[in-house]
């Protein structure tokens, strides 16, 4: 049993280094109550207004000037290590450093998929991070993260983005190595809490219920998402009790973010009206970024300052007698909102070992929650009440309800990254979706985003590369290896990033764990899924595809080559020919998708309770009871 039950931080953490990073200087507790409940504050001297989504906020624009300049050296280092033949990448970056708009503007996107997405995506993020041990050697992609401007996640991907940025931009390696407290410790399920024993579990549930009750007592509506978000925080935020006062907007106050030293984190959620059973393709997609909450979609088409979410906005402003609120954007609540599909875990309490008294208290706290509303997060008072009345479906309602960002079947967070105002050149999209019966991706997320981009009622100037149907993804093996979409920018209906699609596949481990039943992992299993994600991102450290590092560099440079109009290096042309989807379609019904291991599997201990895999040809994985993790 660990000595500390509730995720207390260390008093003496190691300084930032190659693989270790200080976990104390995390995002701040910005709730005026000091806890989970939002609190009233004096309104700022400058009026708080909702801004029209006709461009980026002034805060983001000013931040971008710092960040784009700060990516020049990491990009130079990264591309220099990729060693594109007969091309001087270092000189190319140097020659255009005075005009960063000519250089690549890079984004990372991490799909939903619960713990599978958190850990598989974490492996990719670990591979992209130059701080990871040996990640800058031959065949590695370390430094891609440091060259990135935007990082977006939804649902399980939001847990990954949040756990990195809310913990002082900690490396995945550091999060794995942290042993004091409950950070990234999944040996106990979220039902059990971060420590074993009745006393600790009693404290855990008492804390969850007391904190959510404090929000309810302060006059704010609560739902199952509040419980879910608080429980997630124990596993994802390195602070006592998961940091009940830590807010998403406090990321903007951290020194590294304010100075543009780290990327811009975004998580998304979908709008869903109470009682609505099916999320339509043209639902409004909302984003949470360090400065704002809102949507570029033509329905809402507005943003509110995130720090003052929960304030009483009407017709785009706070009335003279209105209240200003802070602390509503609790970090766990934001991550819980983006992953609210998993709220239903807590509806299984009758089948768990939770003490009966807490089962009763949870039911009382949730009140008359309808079965149709189990997945909602309540953002009452609706900040967009009376805003954009002609198109905003929520304009006449004081209530705004959001759900999991993948419920519209767009399980990759492309929406904020394809906005023309952000001018993203390339998106490295890590897909850990469970599209097939065996929990592997089949490109559905890309298909949904492409179809949405063709919908004139919602696309609002966004464009997305053409992609094939999901049968083609499987029949051509596009869901088993990296594929580029949108290689020929001149064929696009509008400016669109190049998509580098990186699907989850079993390189060394069956990482297709079920999002519904896999709630509990030994450290060995956790690390095996992370390691598989690392190999997926690097093509097995370039042992499977020797040209992959070069081609990843060429993908980064593709749109920049278009702007600078230099001849594309032969090596990059070969990469585009190999990795770009060439328009081939094979829509025949595929055989069941049962992938084999790409390289030699890991041998791991199989003692993770509730660890379930989809059926696979390689389902008889190399599991040796009692063995240690070895290659």
């Amino acid at each position: 049993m660990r000595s500390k039950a509730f995720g207390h931080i260390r008093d003496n953490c190691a300084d930032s280094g190659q693989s270790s990073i200080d976990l104390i200087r995390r995002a701040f507790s910005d709730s005026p109550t000091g806890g989970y409940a939002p609190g009233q504050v004096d309104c700022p001297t400058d009026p708080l207004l909702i801004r029209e989504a006709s461009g980026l906020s002034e805060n983001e624009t000013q931040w971008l000037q710092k960040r784009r300049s700060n990516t020049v050296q990491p990009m130079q280092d990264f591309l220099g290590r990729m060693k594109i033949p007969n091309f001087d990448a270092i000189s190319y970056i140097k020659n255009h450093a005075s005009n960063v708009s000519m250089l690549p503007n890079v984004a990372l996107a991490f799909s939903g998929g619960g713990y599978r997405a958190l850990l598989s995506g974490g492996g990719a993020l670990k591979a992209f991070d130059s701080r990871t041990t040996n990640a800058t050697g031959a065949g590695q992609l370390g430094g891609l993260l440091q060259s990135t401007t935007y990082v977006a996640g939804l649902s399980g991907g939001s847990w990954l983005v949040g756990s990195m940025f809310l913990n002082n931009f900690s490396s995945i390696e550091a999060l794995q190595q942290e042993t004091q407290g409950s950070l990234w410790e999944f040996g106990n399920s979220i039902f059990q809490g971060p420590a074993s024993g009745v006393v600790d579990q009693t404290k855990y549930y008492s804390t969850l219920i007391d904190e959510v009750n404090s929000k309810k007592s302060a006059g704010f509506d609560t739902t199952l998402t509040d419980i879910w978000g608080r429980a997630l925080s124990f596993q994802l935020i390195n602070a006592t009790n998961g940091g009940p006062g830590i807010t998403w907007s406090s990321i903007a106050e951290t020194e590294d973010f304010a100075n543009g030293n780290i990327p811009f984190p975004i998580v998304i959620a979908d709008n869903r009206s109470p009682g609505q059973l099916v999320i339509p393709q043209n639902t409004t997609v909302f984003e949470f970024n360090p400065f704002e909450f809102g949507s570029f979609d033509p329905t809402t088409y507005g943003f509110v300052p995130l720090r003052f979410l929960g304030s009483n906005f009407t017709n785009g402003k706070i009335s003279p007698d209105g209240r200003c609120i802070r602390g509503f954007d609790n970090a766990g609540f934001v991550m819980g909102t983006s992953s609210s599909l998993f709220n239903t875990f807590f509806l299984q309490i009758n089948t768990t070992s939770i003490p009966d008294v807490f089962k009763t208290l949870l039911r009382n706290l949730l009140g008359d929650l309808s079965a149709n509303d189990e997945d909602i997060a309540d953002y009452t008072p609706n900040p967009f009440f009376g805003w954009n009345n002609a198109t905003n479906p929520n304009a006449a309602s004081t209530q705004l309800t959001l759900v999991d960002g993948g419920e519209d079947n767009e399980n990759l967070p492309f929406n904020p990254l394809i906005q023309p105002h952000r001018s993203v050149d390339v998106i490295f999209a890590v897909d850990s979706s469970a599209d097939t019966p065996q929990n592997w991706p089949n490109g559905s997320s890309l298909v949904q985003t492409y179809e949405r981009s063709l919908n004139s009622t919602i696309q609002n100037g966004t464009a997305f590369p053409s992609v094939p149907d999901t049968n083609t993804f499987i029949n051509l093996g596009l869901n088993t290896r990296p594929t580029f979409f949108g290689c020929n920018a001149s064929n696009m209906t509008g400016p669109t990033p190049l998509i580098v699609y990186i699907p989850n596949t079993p390189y060394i481990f069956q990482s297709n764990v079920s999002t519904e039943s896999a709630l509990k992992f030994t450290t060995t299993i956790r690390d095996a899924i992370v390691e598989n994600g690392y190999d997926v991102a690097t093509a097995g450290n370039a042992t499977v595809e020797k040209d992959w590092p070069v081609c990843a560099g060429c993908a980064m440079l593709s749109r920049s080559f278009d702007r600078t109009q230099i001849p594309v290096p032969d090596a990059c042309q070969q990469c585009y020919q190999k990795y770009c989807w060439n328009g081939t379609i094979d829509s025949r019904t595929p055989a069941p998708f049962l992938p084999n291991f790409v390289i030699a599997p890991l041998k791991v201990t199989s003692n993770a309770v509730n660890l379930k895999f989809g059926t696979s040809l390689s389902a008889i994985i190399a599991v040796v009871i009692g063995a240690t993790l070895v290659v």
Side-chain angles (χ1 to χ4, degrees):
M1 184 187 303
R2 290 186 298 276
S3 60
K4 296 185 179 180
F6 286 96
H8 292 277
I9 59 173
R10 290 180 292 176
D11 293 326
N12 296 291
C13 294
D15 283 340
S16 301
Q18 180 71 12
S19 62
S20 180
I21 193 163
D22 188 342
L23 294 175
I24 289 181
R25 298 191 312 276
R26 58 187 179 274
F28 303 129
S29 179
D30 193 43
S31 172
T33 66
Y36 185 65
Q40 187 168 353
V41 295
D42 292 335
C43 291
T45 303
D46 293 334
L48 288 175
L49 303 173
I50 295 177
R51 72 168 186 89
E52 192 176 71
S54 55
L56 301 181
S57 69
E58 182 178 349
N59 284 330
E60 185 174 345
T61 300
Q62 292 176 351
W63 177 89
L64 277 170
Q65 294 174 359
K66 300 175 185 177
R67 180 59 188 167
R68 291 303 305 278
S69 295
N70 288 347
T71 61
V72 171
Q73 187 61 53
M75 198 174 295
Q76 180 178 307
D77 295 341
F78 173 78
L79 291 171
R81 288 195 297 271
M82 297 306 101
K83 299 185 184 304
I84 299 173
N86 300 314
F87 176 69
D88 188 349
I90 294 175
S91 293
Y92 179 83
I93 299 298
K94 285 182 176 179
N95 291 341
H96 297 287
S98 60
N99 183 6
V100 292
S101 66
M102 303 301 283
L103 297 178
N105 189 13
V106 183
L108 306 178
F110 295 94
S111 78
Y115 291 101
R116 179 185 63 250
L118 168 69
L119 299 175
S120 296
L125 198 51
K126 185 176 183 179
F128 299 155
D129 192 341
S130 62
R131 298 170 297 177
T132 301
T133 303
N134 298 325
T136 57
Q140 306 293 328
L141 297 181
L144 177 58
L145 174 61
Q146 283 68 24
S147 304
T148 293
T149 304
Y150 294 100
V151 178
L154 70 80
S155 199
S158 78
W159 308 348
L160 174 61
V161 174
S163 62
M164 170 173 270
F165 282 84
L166 294 164
N167 292 302
N168 185 38
F169 197 61
S170 296
S171 68
I172 301 303
E173 189 168 69
L175 293 173
Q176 288 179 270
Q177 292 173 353
E178 174 64 18
T179 58
Q180 296 292 110
S182 57
L183 188 66
W184 273 52
E185 294 292 330
F186 307 119
N188 286 349
S189 78
I190 203 163
F191 289 135
Q192 293 172 291
S196 302
V198 175
V199 174
D200 290 329
Q201 191 177 76
T202 298
K203 187 185 295 185
Y204 174 61
Y205 275 95
S206 294
T207 300
L208 295 182
I209 291 170
D210 288 349
E211 287 171 352
V212 176
N213 260 328
S214 71
K215 179 178 177 179
K216 189 173 185 179
S217 298
F220 297 93
D221 294 340
T222 56
T223 66
L224 201 55
T225 303
D226 291 274
I227 293 285
W228 173 239
R230 288 304 307 125
L232 281 173
S233 297
F234 278 79
Q235 295 183 332
L236 302 176
I237 300 177
N238 191 53
T240 302
N241 294 351
I246 292 176
T247 59
W248 193 266
S249 59
S250 71
I251 294 172
E253 305 300 318
T254 59
E255 183 178 356
D256 278 338
F257 179 83
N259 290 333
N261 294 328
I262 61 177
F264 193 90
I266 304 172
V267 300
I268 66 172
D270 290 339
N271 182 211
R272 201 201 86 175
S273 301
Q276 186 180 38
L277 300 182
V278 178
I279 306 298
Q281 188 181 64
N282 65 346
T283 194
T284 302
V285 176
F286 284 88
E287 73 171 66
F288 299 83
N289 67 57
F291 298 124
E292 295 184 306
F293 164 75
S295 179
F296 285 103
D297 288 350
T299 46
T300 299
Y301 200 61
F303 285 87
V304 63
L306 181 62
R307 195 182 191 205
F308 292 96
L309 192 62
S311 301
N312 191 12
F313 287 84
T314 302
N315 300 323
K317 60 184 179 181
I318 295 179
S319 61
D321 58 346
R323 299 190 305 164
C324 283
I325 299 294
R326 282 212 328 260
F328 193 99
D329 64 312
N330 173 271
F333 185 53
V334 170
M335 292 186 286
T337 299
S338 185
S339 61
S340 67
L341 189 63
F342 298 99
N343 286 350
T344 52
F345 286 164
F346 272 96
L347 298 179
Q348 303 171 23
I349 56 175
N350 284 333
T351 65
T352 70
S353 59
I354 297 171
D356 288 341
V357 63
F358 293 113
K359 294 179 183 178
T360 301
L361 287 173
L362 278 171
R363 294 190 198 97
N364 292 340
L365 179 63
L366 298 173
D368 298 324
L369 184 68
S370 163
N372 293 334
D373 294 332
E374 291 164 354
D375 61 340
I376 69 167
D378 198 324
Y379 280 74
T380 303
N382 173 17
F384 301 104
F385 177 66
W387 171 261
N388 207 2
N389 292 307
T391 59
N392 179 9
N394 301 295
S397 175
T398 58
Q399 184 182 40
L400 176 66
T401 50
L402 305 179
V403 294
D404 190 297
E407 285 203 36
D408 60 353
N409 295 319
E410 290 185 77
N411 203 37
L412 273 160
F414 289 122
N415 181 275
L417 303 177
I418 62 174
Q419 297 302 321
H421 302 299
R422 288 193 165 123
S423 302
V424 172
D425 289 325
V426 57
I427 303 172
F428 289 81
V430 180
D431 191 3
S432 304
S433 302
D435 300 324
T436 73
Q438 294 78 33
N439 302 326
W440 300 108
N442 67 2
S444 290
S445 296
L446 280 73
V447 173
Q448 290 294 322
T449 301
Y450 173 64
E451 291 179 351
R452 193 179 198 265
S453 74
L454 302 178
N455 186 331
S456 60
T457 67
I458 198 70
Q459 59 94 3
N460 197 33
T462 59
F464 196 77
S466 297
V467 296
D469 59 89
T470 56
N471 285 352
T472 296
F473 265 90
I474 294 176
N475 289 329
L476 299 186
L478 305 181
N479 66 331
T480 63
R481 61 179 183 268
T483 304
F484 301 168
F485 296 96
C487 291
N488 189 346
S490 64
N491 282 345
M492 302 296 109
T493 58
T496 179
L498 177 72
I499 307 300
V500 179
Y501 182 58
I502 304 175
N504 182 32
T505 198
Y507 258 72
I508 57 172
F509 188 74
Q510 290 290 334
S511 54
N512 57 328
V513 294
S514 168
T515 52
E516 289 80 19
S517 58
L519 304 178
K520 186 174 179 177
F521 304 89
T522 64
T523 299
T524 300
I525 296 292
R526 178 199 71 181
D527 291 347
I529 299 174
V530 170
E531 186 64 25
N532 189 79
Y534 191 109
D535 280 334
V536 167
T538 62
N541 302 325
T543 59
V544 175
E545 301 289 352
K546 296 186 184 303
D547 60 358
W548 177 233
V550 168
C551 293
C554 291
M556 178 189 284
L557 288 162
S558 175
R559 296 293 191 259
S560 180
F561 286 155
D562 293 340
R563 288 193 295 274
T564 59
Q565 297 185 330
I566 72 156
V568 177
D570 289 343
C572 289
Q573 291 181 359
Q574 293 170 17
C575 286
Y576 302 151
Q577 184 175 7
K578 177 177 179 178
Y579 288 98
C580 290
W581 175 58
N582 62 8
T584 299
I585 297 291
D586 183 352
S587 299
R588 294 173 299 170
T589 301
F593 181 65
L594 304 170
N596 285 307
F597 289 112
V598 177
I599 53 181
L602 291 175
K603 296 180 180 180
V604 302
T605 303
S606 180
N607 58 347
V609 178
N610 286 338
L611 185 63
K612 295 184 179 180
F613 302 90
T615 306
S616 167
L617 287 177
S618 52
I620 307 177
I621 57 177
V623 173
V624 179
I625 303 300
T628 56
L629 180 62
V630 296
V631 178

